[in-house]
Amino acid sequence: MTFTVEDAVRIARAAHDGQVDKSGKPYIGHPLRVMRAVSGDHAQMAAVLHDVVEDTPVSAADLLAAGCPPHVVDTVVALSHLPGESQEDYLSRVVADPVAVEVKRADIADNLSPHRIAQLDEATQERLRAKYARALHLLDTLP
């Protein structure tokens, strides 16, 4: 049986069940929006799963065991910021995977969307704008 985008969505929905974003809305909305912003099965699967390994108990091994293609799992791992890892090291891993770069740019665009950021307090807005401006700069300049 072939693993599909719908299978990835099912895993993401289960993994993020009960999680909320910074404005208190169900977290799954974010990976679904990121998924809709990219094209192709590989990018869409990685997009909807991009926070699963980083923010839930689901591991890369769990994704592989569920039938997720290894190249998609590799992209999800590239998109997963490890504890204590510098932003430069993290984004160097992202830059090494062209699909991860596409997903990361869509992730940042969703995180900075006017509707989403307007729901946050001013200090959080400023912190996130600076964080994502630096991330975009690094995506553009890292080898």
Side-chain angles (χ1 to χ4, degrees):
M1 190 167 94
T2 302
F3 191 89
T4 65
V5 171
E6 291 75 23
D7 294 322
V9 169
R10 180 183 45 76
I11 290 170
R13 284 187 184 280
H16 291 298
D17 188 45
Q19 291 181 336
V20 294
D21 64 17
K22 289 177 178 67
S23 63
K25 294 199 167 64
Y27 189 80
I28 190 61
H30 169 66
L32 289 171
R33 287 188 303 273
V34 175
M35 179 189 76
R36 288 190 292 271
V38 298
S39 58
D41 287 353
H42 179 173
Q44 289 181 332
M45 287 181 207
V48 79
L49 295 170
H50 81 272
D51 282 334
V52 167
V53 170
E54 182 176 330
D55 294 335
T56 79
V58 176
S59 69
D62 294 332
L63 293 176
L64 290 168
C68 189
H71 63 281
V72 172
V73 176
D74 289 344
T75 300
V76 171
V77 169
L79 289 161
S80 300
H81 198 157
L82 303 173
E85 183 178 36
S86 73
Q87 190 176 37
E88 291 83 0
D89 289 346
Y90 163 59
L91 291 174
S92 290
R93 280 191 296 107
V94 171
V95 168
D97 180 331
V99 175
V101 172
E102 179 185 4
V103 172
K104 188 62 184 172
R105 288 185 183 283
D107 175 38
I108 291 170
D110 185 66
N111 284 328
L112 288 176
S113 71
H115 172 73
R116 215 165 162 219
I117 207 156
Q119 298 177 35
L120 306 173
D121 63 79
E122 193 63 39
T124 301
Q125 289 182 33
E126 288 177 28
R127 181 181 59 79
L128 292 177
R129 282 189 185 106
K131 172 186 172 182
Y132 293 126
R134 183 164 183 264
L136 289 169
H137 172 75
L138 289 169
L139 287 174
D140 290 339
T141 59
L142 284 169

